[in-house]
Amino acid sequence: MEHQHSYIANRTKDDYLKRLRRIEGQARGLQRMVEEEQYCIDILTQVSAMTKALQSVALGLLDEHMAHCVVGAVREGGEEAELKLKEASDAIARLVRS
């Protein structure tokens, strides 16, 4: 049986797509704010909101990955389990640094 990504297995793909489209709209709004030479603090406030929205998507994907992909690999054991744990650890490290 072929592996199914957690966001598909959990039926959250559409939710992620909606959230990413909203973030895309925020990015266009930021571009417009800069083009219109709006107040720096207002732009920074919107950057902060967009960053928080992206972090929320990332944490949701990570949580689903851990609960579905990593748990499944650990149950089966072997090299795949080690690989999935390493991938998750690396992803967490990247999120912490960002």
Side-chain angles (χ1 to χ4, degrees):
M1 186 164 127
E2 187 175 322
H3 175 76
Q4 190 176 50
H5 299 296
S6 59
Y7 59 88
I8 295 170
N10 293 335
R11 295 185 171 90
T12 54
K13 178 181 174 181
D14 288 340
D15 178 53
Y16 284 116
L17 288 173
K18 284 179 199 171
R19 292 164 71 184
L20 289 168
R21 286 184 190 108
R22 207 171 308 132
I23 292 166
E24 183 180 24
Q26 286 178 297
R28 283 193 303 272
L30 283 167
Q31 290 173 332
R32 191 169 36 259
M33 289 177 81
V34 171
E35 286 171 356
E36 295 171 358
E37 300 177 4
Q38 292 193 18
Y39 188 52
C40 297
I41 297 301
D42 293 340
I43 296 169
L44 290 170
T45 299
Q46 292 307 310
V47 167
S48 177
M50 188 174 153
T51 300
K52 185 175 179 182
L54 279 170
Q55 287 172 338
S56 176
V57 168
L59 290 174
L61 285 168
L62 178 62
D63 185 56
E64 288 191 30
H65 179 70
M66 296 287 291
H68 180 81
C69 303
V70 175
V71 167
V74 169
R75 280 188 188 129
E76 292 187 22
E79 283 185 40
E80 185 68 14
E82 291 178 26
L83 175 65
K84 292 293 182 193
L85 287 169
K86 175 79 169 103
E87 284 177 344
S89 177
D90 291 347
I92 291 167
R94 285 191 302 273
L95 286 172
V96 170
R97 285 192 299 265
S98 64

